[in-house]
Amino acid sequence: MGVIVQEQTGLFHLQSSGMSYLIQIVDGYPAHVYWGSRLKQRESMEGMLIHTPAGAGLDRLPQEYPQYGSGDFRNPAYQAELEDGTRITELRYEGYRILPGKPALPGLPAVYVERESEAETLELLLKDAYSGLRVSLLYSVYEDRNVIVRSARLGNEGPNKLRLRRALSASVDLQGRDELEMLYLSGAWAREGSVKRRPLQQGEVRIDSKRGMSSHQFNPFAALVTPETTESVGEAFGFSLVYSGGFEAGAETDSFGSTRVGIGLNSFDFAWLLEPGESFQTPEAVLVYSGEGIGGMSRTYHRLYRNRLCRGKYRDEERPILVNNWEATYFDFDADKLVSIAEEGSRLGIELFVLDDGWFGTRDADNSSLGDWFEDRRKLPGGLADVARRINEHGLQFGLWFEPEMISPESELYRTHPDWCLHVPGRRRSEARWQLVLDYTRKEVREYIFESLSAIFSTVPVAYVKWDMNRALTEIGSAKLPPERQAETAHRYVLGLYELLERITERFPDILFESCSSGGGRFDPGMLHYMPQAWASDNTDAAERLKIQYGTSLVYPVSSIGAHVSAVPNHQVGRTTPLEFRGDVAMSGNFGYELDLTAFTGEEKAIVRQQVARYKQIRGLVQQGDLYRLKSPFEGDESAWMFVSENKREGLVYAFRTKAVPNGPLRTLRLAGLDPEAEYEVEAEHGGERTLVGGDRLMRLGLPLHYESKDYQSRSFRLRAVDPSLERAGEPEFPKP
């Protein structure tokens, strides 16, 4: 397995344990032959080779990194402008290299290997002889994962300047697959993660972000599926971009039924000047093949991103249960109020207190002080160190909210450095939420933020940081870049952010960082490389969160999804749902509370105490287990999912119904991912008898569901495999996974 080369036919076979990806050199062009379930490597692969119709030209050739201007009229993967203004280049194959393992990408987040034997990398070398443009196509294939990781490095080896106008990370031409559909995630603020599925016809389906961040509107992910593909059956081809800025992903179907899929940096308003000797590295695209439906694709992404994208201390550690004061107090608090919430949290078993917005500068509303990262002594007379110490004395860790990429015009920082924001001289500076965006292309700006945050982290026992970003980029220009490089600003901003995150997470490895962008506005693989979890949405309503968390899980592991219980009526939609229902939804992620614990009744505190105790028992399975989606909230009033341990010895099922059904039918829920030969003890979490049921019966006949005749009901079940021989002997044993 790995990379197999047949030089006599120009065929490259990238092979994992369950997948094959074939490339052939045809007339000097890398052409796409096959991507799908694993093919046995044979001495002769003649039957697989591409034969294009005579005189068809490049428009009929399924290419791996297509160009424009030489007879291919579909979307190109790249475009370069020469110094004379022409835009015609023609990359031809020069050779290849095979590298052990997977190389890191300088300045960019990337998936990785811990041992070279995990993966092998093919590098195809292409060159345009006229201009000197040289492109290296990188393909890394994991041995035990159905994953191909692609990127491109474009270099200028000619004597004159080149300007890149387009540089995608991956392009794949799929032929002979009729009636494909495109699956993607869309939404808006508070409505992230909506699952969309559209049939492909002649023409193009495209999603993108021009906002300088991956956005609430579209996630940098798309998949192609067949009409027959379901959650558990059929083929799925996933494309996910490890990047946190503007992106594009599209599927273009031509008149011959061939579909070209491309993903990478957004070409709109993008250019990159290459002086002689300079090169440009694209972000990487992670391509996943599944022959086990959409769920199989998701679990492949989950395992890869959880274990080979996230890094650091908290990659494998269980995440703490937290309480955040935002919806409890907003900006109106003092040290005593914060400590009272933490004290109540301690009694309930909560492990981490997070101080959200309003602790710095003169921040009494969201119209000032961003950039002034020093505590407000009016609210915190003893400073952050004092309130953190008092909270620590109650047995809770201390966390802190920041928005380090923004600056308020009403701030000391702006009065001192009004040119530090992204802006175009002479143009209006568009404010959103009374704030502007700091120019992270500038080293001095990044240094100021690094030193400001480091000063706090070095003197205050901060165990957790919520890193927020509450607006998109506008007036995307930099005072420090020359005119010919202004179109590089948006990408240089993201590179500057990555440099800062690399420095600060390396300097403070014991801090758990969580990313946020008004919720899910920048929930992407690029951020997960530095911060192993993200706030999925500012919408904390449990019924809405069923959709948000379900959709987000198409690509992202549950260990990355922050999910909290909030007060009712809910602050976003005004809905009132039972505390048990809110808890079960939130326990399907990184669990916490976003409310005033001191306002709870004694009965509510008892429920919270039970929820916290239960989550401590199950969080290892929730955060590290395999997720199986059983019922979609996008298809009705019922939804369900379950978690299964890697060894299939333990399971956890959650089922939800948002609307009551009068005199409804008996409901059964078919489970998934279990060992069909095993016997499982099934225990209802909210009371009920323990029953012993075979894994095959649970998956084929299902688990009976009994809901009360009320709206917003949830049911949860724990499953443990048992040894039947011990059970018959009267000695039940419930081994841990």
Side-chain angles (χ1 to χ4, degrees), residues 318 614 616-622 625-626 628 642-653 672-675 678-681 685 717-722 734-737:
E318 294 180 354
R614 182 159 72 247
K616 289 178 180 178
Q617 295 175 346
I618 65 173
R619 61 180 159 188
L621 180 57
V622 170
D626 286 332
Y628 290 83
M642 66 181 294
F643 306 92
V644 180
S645 61
E646 184 177 356
N647 63 8
K648 301 187 181 297
R649 303 288 293 171
E650 186 176 11
L652 176 67
V653 180
L674 302 175
D675 180 354
E679 297 287 321
Y680 290 90
E681 186 208 40
E685 289 286 359
F717 304 87
R718 292 190 70 181
L719 283 65
R720 297 181 179 90
V722 302
F734 310 125
K736 294 186 180 298

Side-chain angles (χ1 to χ4, degrees), residues 246-267:
F247 76 94
E248 63 178 84
E252 180 185 15
T253 302
D254 66 14
S255 56
F256 303 104
S258 174
T259 298
R260 173 169 291 174
V261 188
I263 190 168
L265 294 172
N266 199 324
S267 305

Side-chain angles (χ1 to χ4, degrees), residues 477-492:
S478 174
K480 281 295 185 75
L481 289 176
E484 65 270 21
R485 292 193 179 272
Q486 285 297 318
E488 301 174 9
T489 304
H491 183 55
R492 287 187 180 274

Side-chain angles (χ1 to χ4, degrees), residues 354-368:
V354 179
L355 171 54
D356 210 281
D357 199 352
W359 59 266
F360 53 92
T362 54
R363 181 84 163 174
D364 296 323
D366 57 2
N367 59 1
S368 74

Side-chain angles (χ1 to χ4, degrees), residues 119-174:
E120 198 164 44
T121 298
L122 169 68
E123 182 179 18
L124 295 181
L125 307 174
L126 315 176
K127 189 170 183 178
D128 175 46
Y130 179 82
S131 67
L133 175 66
R134 186 183 182 93
V135 175
S136 296
L137 300 181
L138 296 172
Y139 301 78
S140 296
V141 56
Y142 280 81
E143 180 179 2
D144 295 324
R145 307 172 192 265
N146 293 338
V147 172
I148 296 285
V149 184
R150 290 191 55 179
S151 69
R153 186 169 59 251
L154 299 93
N156 182 3
E157 295 185 353
N160 302 312
K161 297 178 182 179
L162 292 173
R163 188 183 303 276
L164 300 178
R165 294 291 189 183
R166 182 178 177 89
L168 297 187
S169 299
S171 181
V172 178
D173 286 355
L174 298 175

Side-chain angles (χ1 to χ4, degrees), residues 23 61 71 91 113 129 150 202 247 335 377 382 408 436 462 495 501 509 537 557 658 680 688:
I23 305 164
L61 186 67
L91 294 174
V113 297
R150 290 191 55 179
Q202 186 173 342
F247 76 94
R377 292 283 178 156
S408 300
L436 301 168
V462 175
L495 295 179
L501 294 180
S537 177
T658 55
Y680 290 90

